[in-house]
Amino acid sequence: MALVGCGGRGTGAAANALGVDNGPINLVAMADIFDDRLSNSYQGLKKRYGDRVDVPAHARFLGFDAYKKAIDSLNKGDIAIFTTPPAFRWVHFKYAIEKGVNVFMEK
């Protein structure tokens, strides 16, 4: 899965997904506008979930187009978690659907 939006809610949503016992879920890409949010999220998730957080530096994306790079890191049928501000989500959602990626986002 990929996490788009690495603040507190995004980190919590990724932790919820990684905490599921009935499936091999791995975090493979992360995207955010702010480096400190992405870094803090990555460090916390890596410490807690170890090898299930497999996000090398080249799969940690920054900037307004970071969501595209994170989604492009996935295969069809994989999951993207969107926890960005609601005004941005429709753009992210549209791109994910075009790529055949499943989406988790709150209303």
Side-chain angles (χ1 to χ4, degrees):
M1 74 178 165
L3 175 60
V4 179
C6 299
R9 182 63 196 119
T11 302
N16 291 154
L18 290 165
V20 172
D21 292 331
N22 65 347
I25 298 174
N26 296 311
L27 183 62
V28 298
M30 299 173 78
D32 203 282
I33 299 295
F34 303 105
D35 183 43
D36 62 325
R37 287 187 185 165
L38 193 151
S39 295
N40 291 337
S41 178
Y42 171 76
Q43 290 170 9
L45 291 169
K46 184 69 173 175
K47 182 177 179 181
R48 185 169 177 188
Y49 296 101
D51 291 343
R52 295 178 73 191
V53 178
D54 184 19
V55 188
H58 70 269
R60 292 179 230 156
F61 305 105
L62 294 171
F64 283 103
D65 65 342
Y67 74 95
K68 287 183 179 181
K69 295 171 184 173
I71 292 168
D72 289 344
S73 299
L74 300 174
N75 296 315
K76 285 187 177 187
D78 286 346
I79 302 166
I81 297 175
F82 296 153
T83 55
T84 55
F88 296 100
R89 287 191 202 148
W90 73 270
V91 176
H92 304 162
F93 181 72
K94 182 178 183 294
Y95 190 76
I97 297 305
E98 289 170 356
K99 294 291 187 169
V101 170
N102 293 304
V103 172
F104 169 85
M105 65 181 175
E106 297 174 333
K107 60 178 184 170

